């Protein structure tokens, strides 16, 4: 029957406070995927070839909770914290402890202690500390068009892009808008944390003014999770731009109202067949929290029959 004497517990506490003062410099990092198994090392080589009966090995987590104790040849559950019951498995050859069903709350500092149990009682012969961090891959980002509209020139279309159940928090989300020229816009990232498992769901919104610079627009949403990693991309959404159906309504540009840039709007009157199209230069193409501002209307556009250019006040 393996029990830890009082002196052992005192020693553990001493070791832990000792350990806390030396961690920062050479921190060893162990990563594990959410809901999967973490491999918690001890890095114990057993240099004196001690038999298992002479060894006491245990792992402690944050708040000194004991994950697992191997007491002189047997597993000892007496001091194991309830969070870790039925979640651990020791490989006695490598002294690697498997921690199953890893959760975000398991993140933190861990230490493995090895004591040699000789005639004078237990003596700590080895200790090894490391930081456990947990990763959860976000679902593939998904773009949803928020309004039920075709991409008519002059319209403002809204899109959302979301990805779910990831960890840690992504660095940023952005949109890639491909017309004749491609542009990237940083999105305003809304982050929601799931209370049950601490994972993140993220969303960003794009308001896009459809202008007449390109017959098609390709929209992709990307998430930069961590600096070193490739961004996670959505499927590309393909929009075909269309001229306004009703020429009379083409002068009502709903986007201008929200765009807020309603001063003197330069209106270029373009005749394509019998449709009159109105393009604005002052209103931003895109309303998204951005660092790079959208380019002005592409000058390369060649209106056939370049008509008069009239100034209009807001309507
Ligand atoms: C994690 O595991 C639980 C229970 O096994 C399951 O319900 C949940 O969907 C899993 N979550 C993820 C993000 O894999
Ligand atoms: C979009 O509009 C069409 C026609 O007006 C309608 O049949 C369809 O149900 C709408 N879809 C959504 C998602 O609102
Ligand atoms: C698009 O979003 C803006 C807010 O950014 C909103 O004012 C506008 O009504 C939305 N447009 C449509 C067609 O839903
Ligand atoms: C945009 O999508 C169209 C298909 O809709 C494709 O032909 C074109 O190559 C794409 N353009 C870019 C720059 O990806
Ligand atoms: C788009 O790209 C072309 C060349 O690829 C360039 O000549 C033009 O100025 C660009 N237009 C804008 C608005 O950046």
């Amino acid at each position: 029957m393996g029990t830890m004497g009082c002196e052992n517990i005192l020693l553990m506490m001493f070791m832990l406070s000792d350990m806390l003062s030396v961690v920062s410099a050479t921190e060893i990092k162990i990563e594990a995927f959410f809901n999967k198994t973490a491999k918690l090392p001890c890095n114990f080589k057993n240099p004196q070839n001690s038999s298992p009966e002479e060894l006491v090995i245990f792992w402690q987590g944050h708040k000194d909770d004991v994950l697992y104790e191997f007491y002189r040849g047997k597993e000892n559950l007496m001091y194991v914290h309830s969070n870790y019951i039925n979640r651990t498995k020791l490989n006695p050859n490598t002294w690697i402890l498997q921690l199953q069903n890893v959760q975000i709350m398991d993140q933190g500092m861990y230490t493995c202690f090895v004591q040699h149990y000789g005639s004078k009682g237990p003596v700590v012969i080895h200790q090894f500390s490391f930081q456990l961090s947990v990763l959860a891959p976000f679902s593939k980002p998904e773009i949803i068009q928020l309004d039920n509209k075709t991409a008519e020139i002059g319209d403002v279309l809204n899109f959302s892009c979301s990805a779910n159940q990831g960890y840690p928090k992504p660095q940023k989300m952005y949109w890639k808008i491909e017309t004749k020229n491609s542009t990237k816009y940083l999105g305003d990232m809304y982050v929601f944390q799931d209370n049950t498992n601490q994972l993140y769901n993220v969303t960003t919104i794009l308001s896009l003014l459809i202008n007449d610079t390109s017959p098609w627009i390709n929209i992709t949403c990307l998430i930069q999770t961590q600096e070193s990693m490739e961004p996670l991309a959505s499927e590309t959404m393909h929009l075909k731009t269309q001229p306004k159906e009703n020429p009379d309504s083409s002068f009502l540009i709903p986007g201008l109202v929200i765009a807020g840039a309603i001063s003197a709007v330069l209106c270029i009157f373009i005749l394509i067949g019998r449709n009159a199209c109105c393009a604005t230069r002052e209103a931003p193409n895109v309303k998204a929290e951005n660092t790079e501002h959208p380019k002005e209307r592409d000058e390369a556009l060649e209106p056939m029959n370049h008509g008069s250019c009239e100034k209009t006040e807001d309507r």
Side-chain angles (χ1 to χ4, degrees), residues 246-263:
N246 181 357
D248 292 330
S249 66
S250 69
F251 287 97
L252 285 169
I253 303 169
L256 285 182
V257 183
I258 54 149
I262 320 158
S263 45

Side-chain angles (χ1 to χ4, degrees), residues 50-67:
S50 309
S51 75
E53 286 71 29
E54 296 171 276
L55 295 173
V56 179
I57 302 182
F58 57 92
W59 278 258
Q60 279 187 326
H62 26 303
K63 295 195 232 134
D64 304 359
D65 295 342
V66 176
L67 280 75

Side-chain angles (χ1 to χ4, degrees), residues 61-119:
H62 26 303
K63 295 195 232 134
D64 304 359
D65 295 342
V66 176
L67 280 75
Y68 181 91
E69 186 188 6
F70 176 87
Y71 187 88
R72 305 179 71 184
K74 290 194 298 265
E75 189 176 317
N76 174 25
L77 290 177
M78 187 165 291
Y79 300 101
V80 172
H81 190 276
S82 57
N83 279 350
Y84 303 107
I85 297 283
N86 290 336
R87 291 179 62 200
T88 53
K89 203 168 134 196
L90 180 69
N91 180 333
N93 300 315
T94 57
W95 300 111
I96 287 174
L97 182 69
Q98 293 194 353
L99 177 64
Q100 289 149 6
N101 195 24
V102 167
Q103 301 297 299
I104 303 301
M105 307 228 279
D106 292 327
Q107 292 196 113
M109 201 71 197
Y110 289 85
T111 304
C112 169
F113 295 92
V114 180
Q115 295 174 325
H116 183 259
Y117 215 100
S119 52

Side-chain angles (χ1 to χ4, degrees), residues 20 46 48 57 68 82 96 112 136 157-158 168 214 232 244 277 286 289 297 315:
L20 288 176
N46 196 2
Q48 279 149 27
I57 302 182
Y68 181 91
S82 57
I96 287 174
C112 169
L157 300 186
N158 293 337
S214 174
L232 204 57
K244 265 283 185 221
C277 299
V286 162
E289 187 75 359
R297 207 173 63 80
R315 31 190 102 232

Side-chain angles (χ1 to χ4, degrees), residues 176 178-182 216-219 236-240:
K176 191 166 81 177
E178 289 166 298
T179 55
K180 280 177 186 159
N181 296 356
S182 120
W216 46 263
I217 302 173
N218 298 349
I219 303 174
T236 297
M237 183 180 261
H238 303 284
L239 290 181
K240 247 173 93 65

Side-chain angles (χ1 to χ4, degrees), residues 12-186:
M12 271 161 61
M13 287 177 168
F14 170 74
M15 297 301 306
L16 192 80
S17 56
D18 198 39
M19 171 202 100
L20 288 176
S21 58
V22 288
V23 281
S24 49
T26 53
E27 214 170 68
I28 291 158
K29 287 206 155 137
I30 304 291
E31 289 190 337
F33 281 103
F34 182 79
N35 265 0
K36 299 280 193 296
T37 298
K39 290 187 173 160
L40 309 183
C42 190
N43 210 19
F44 178 55
K45 303 283 196 298
N46 196 2
Q48 279 149 27
N49 236 334
S50 309
S51 75
E53 286 71 29
E54 296 171 276
L55 295 173
V56 179
I57 302 182
F58 57 92
W59 278 258
Q60 279 187 326
H62 26 303
K63 295 195 232 134
D64 304 359
D65 295 342
V66 176
L67 280 75
Y68 181 91
E69 186 188 6
F70 176 87
Y71 187 88
R72 305 179 71 184
K74 290 194 298 265
E75 189 176 317
N76 174 25
L77 290 177
M78 187 165 291
Y79 300 101
V80 172
H81 190 276
S82 57
N83 279 350
Y84 303 107
I85 297 283
N86 290 336
R87 291 179 62 200
T88 53
K89 203 168 134 196
L90 180 69
N91 180 333
N93 300 315
T94 57
W95 300 111
I96 287 174
L97 182 69
Q98 293 194 353
L99 177 64
Q100 289 149 6
N101 195 24
V102 167
Q103 301 297 299
I104 303 301
M105 307 228 279
D106 292 327
Q107 292 196 113
M109 201 71 197
Y110 289 85
T111 304
C112 169
F113 295 92
V114 180
Q115 295 174 325
H116 183 259
Y117 215 100
S119 52
K120 291 179 239 112
V123 177
V124 172
I125 54 170
H126 177 79
Q127 82 177 75
F128 183 74
S129 297
F130 55 89
Q131 181 81 32
L132 176 68
S133 47
V134 178
L135 302 174
F138 277 92
S139 64
K140 184 171 178 160
E142 194 184 358
I143 300 178
I144 294 172
Q145 189 177 341
L146 298 176
D147 10 65
N148 189 6
K149 278 194 190 169
T150 55
E152 289 181 8
I153 289 160
D155 282 349
V156 176
L157 300 186
N158 293 337
F159 303 87
S160 75
C161 170
S162 304
N164 297 323
Q165 299 284 295
Y167 198 94
K169 203 182 287 184
Q171 296 197 325
K172 58 185 179 184
M173 292 178 84
Y174 55 97
W175 296 88
K176 191 166 81 177
I177 311 297
E178 289 166 298
T179 55
K180 280 177 186 159
N181 296 356
S182 120
T183 324
K184 284 181 182 166
Y185 301 98
L186 198 57

